[in-house]
Amino acid sequence: MSETITDYTNKLTIPKPEENFRHPMEAYIRSERFPHIWCSSCGIGTILTAYISGLQKSGLDPEKVAVVSGIGCSGRVAGYLRLDSFHSTHGRALPFATGLALGNPELKVSVISGDGDISAIGGNHFIHSARRNMNLTIICINNFTYAMTGGQAGPTTPIEANSSTTPYGSYEYPFNLPFLAESCGAVYVARWTALHIRRLTNAISEALLKPGFSFIEVISPCPTLYSRRNRLGTGLDSMKFYHDTAIIQHGAETREVDIEYQQKIIVGKFVDKEKPTFTEARDKFLKKKLGDRFVPYRGPNHGH
Amino acid sequence: MSYWRVPLDIQDIKIPKGDIHIIIERCKGCKFCVEYCPRNVLEMSTDYNPKGYHYPNVIKQGACVNCNLCELICPEFSIYCLEGEAQPPDPDEVLRKGGNHES
């Protein structure tokens, strides 16, 4: 009986497109797990496509990119991407990503997760990662509801919108996520919808190349829960709604970009500024305090 | 609107061509590609794929200009466009149609 030894030190191998070619992005997706769980006309698949093409456009080495996601429909993104990826517990995508970015500063860590994961249960982690200006790229897929658990009202559900916990319409004030991100110290804040696919691709490649905490909110259709409960039709009807009501306003004041129920959606790049990241600020401060005694940590491949 | 003369730089212009490929069994029939194709190349078929969804068909082969929007907007990774050979425009057609790409 022969003994098989698994070599866990093997590096991640990304197959070349010419081997087993089915789709130009086949090298980046784990298509053996397809069909994916997302409903017909859900926007998450489109946003995943935008992420992959933004990554290609940014020119980053896929071996040096890691994706972390939390729980929810959008949490499955990590499982379908053929990159170093981790599907963490509910709301804890940001702490995991923070640890990853600090432990290996060479990695470019992205968090792709939902509005419930990032701003509800992970809200505390979100404000503190933004305050510290961690070197992370956050893509928050906002579908205005907790879709995987049955359409409960979440922190972004607009007033008037029906959900399974607010059958007469939601009466809670929702979060304005770009305003929250900017006021906590994010250096790059943008909002797009799943329809603005080319602008979203450009925003993702800009955010990936931006050092510091970059935040992109992406409005996505949810045909099965949010749209069905509110009688808004299919995902295609949501896309047509974005086409008719989205207004592109680069540099808009984030305090004025609230989303009201079925009203205009202001999209664009709101904030793009320079600020030292957590690692840069730490190294500079400790260098000043400790002088030559301070040796900066440069990652596991550089020793210490 | 038709043009009143053939554009002077017509010999320098080449129209890009795309070759659309559809992975039928991955499609979930969301119609994003059919709705947002700028040249209206696609149409939903009346047939079903193995999952029971209608899938898109190419109805105007040759009208695709390789803009790749269908590939980007497809949530299922089931359609893609490969670059074909760019063709010089037909002067008679340019005179007749002008800047209007439809029909």
Side-chain angles (χ1 to χ4, degrees), chain A residues 79-96:
Chain A
Y80 296 127
L81 269 173
R82 198 185 288 279
L83 300 169
D84 283 335
S85 57
F86 190 77
H87 187 182
S88 71
T89 49
H90 196 12
R92 315 299 174 227
L94 278 161
F96 187 88

Side-chain angles (χ1 to χ4, degrees), chain A residues 34-56:
Chain A
F34 277 23
H36 55 55
I37 62 151
W38 302 313
C39 311
S40 165
S41 74
C42 170
I44 301 176
T46 306
I47 296 162
L48 179 57
T49 318
Y51 180 78
I52 293 172
S53 60
L55 181 61
Q56 285 172 330

Side-chain angles (χ1 to χ4, degrees), chain A residues 66-116:
Chain A
V67 174
V68 182
S69 67
I71 296 294
C73 295
S74 45
R76 296 299 185 105
V77 164
Y80 296 127
L81 269 173
R82 198 185 288 279
L83 300 169
D84 283 335
S85 57
F86 190 77
H87 187 182
S88 71
T89 49
H90 196 12
R92 315 299 174 227
L94 278 161
F96 187 88
T98 302
L100 207 54
L102 286 181
N104 192 349
E106 287 178 358
L107 275 184
K108 183 69 209 176
V109 185
S110 321
V111 175
I112 307 180
S113 209
D115 55 316

Side-chain angles (χ1 to χ4, degrees), chain A residues 28-250:
Chain A
Y28 290 85
I29 51 176
R30 296 179 202 264
S31 57
E32 67 274 14
R33 298 186 176 180
F34 277 23
H36 55 55
I37 62 151
W38 302 313
C39 311
S40 165
S41 74
C42 170
I44 301 176
T46 306
I47 296 162
L48 179 57
T49 318
Y51 180 78
I52 293 172
S53 60
L55 181 61
Q56 285 172 330
K57 197 171 177 187
S58 72
L60 290 171
D61 180 6
E63 300 248 352
K64 298 265 169 68
V65 176
V67 174
V68 182
S69 67
I71 296 294
C73 295
S74 45
R76 296 299 185 105
V77 164
Y80 296 127
L81 269 173
R82 198 185 288 279
L83 300 169
D84 283 335
S85 57
F86 190 77
H87 187 182
S88 71
T89 49
H90 196 12
R92 315 299 174 227
L94 278 161
F96 187 88
T98 302
L100 207 54
L102 286 181
N104 192 349
E106 287 178 358
L107 275 184
K108 183 69 209 176
V109 185
S110 321
V111 175
I112 307 180
S113 209
D115 55 316
D117 191 70
I118 284 178
S119 67
I121 189 162
N124 192 17
H125 306 304
F126 176 71
I127 60 176
H128 289 287
S129 315
R131 172 181 67 81
R132 292 180 176 131
N133 199 15
M134 298 302 308
N135 192 12
L136 300 173
T137 304
I138 315 297
I139 294 157
C140 177
I141 302 175
N142 183 356
N143 55 6
F144 304 117
T145 190
Y146 286 111
M148 190 173 262
T149 51
Q152 291 86 356
T156 49
T157 310
I159 296 178
E160 292 283 319
N162 184 303
S163 71
S164 61
T165 47
T166 56
Y168 301 104
S170 173
Y171 39 79
E172 297 175 22
Y173 297 107
F175 260 143
N176 174 355
L177 291 177
F179 184 39
L180 178 71
E182 191 197 359
S183 53
C184 293
V187 292
Y188 183 97
V189 180
R191 176 197 275 156
W192 296 106
T193 73
L195 178 68
H196 296 89
I197 183 86
R198 290 214 193 270
R199 293 168 193 272
L200 176 63
T201 302
N202 290 342
I204 288 172
S205 76
E206 269 178 40
L208 282 170
L209 295 174
K210 180 106 188 156
F213 192 88
S214 41
F215 176 77
I216 304 173
E217 180 188 7
V218 193
I219 313 287
S220 165
C222 178
T224 307
L225 286 154
Y226 182 78
S227 291
R228 180 176 60 81
R229 295 197 69 94
N230 289 292
R231 306 274 195 275
L232 303 177
T234 60
L236 185 60
D237 294 314
S238 299
M239 289 291 221
K240 287 178 181 164
F241 171 73
Y242 301 151
H243 179 266
D244 295 340
T245 52
I247 302 168
I248 299 176
Q249 261 184 39
H250 292 298

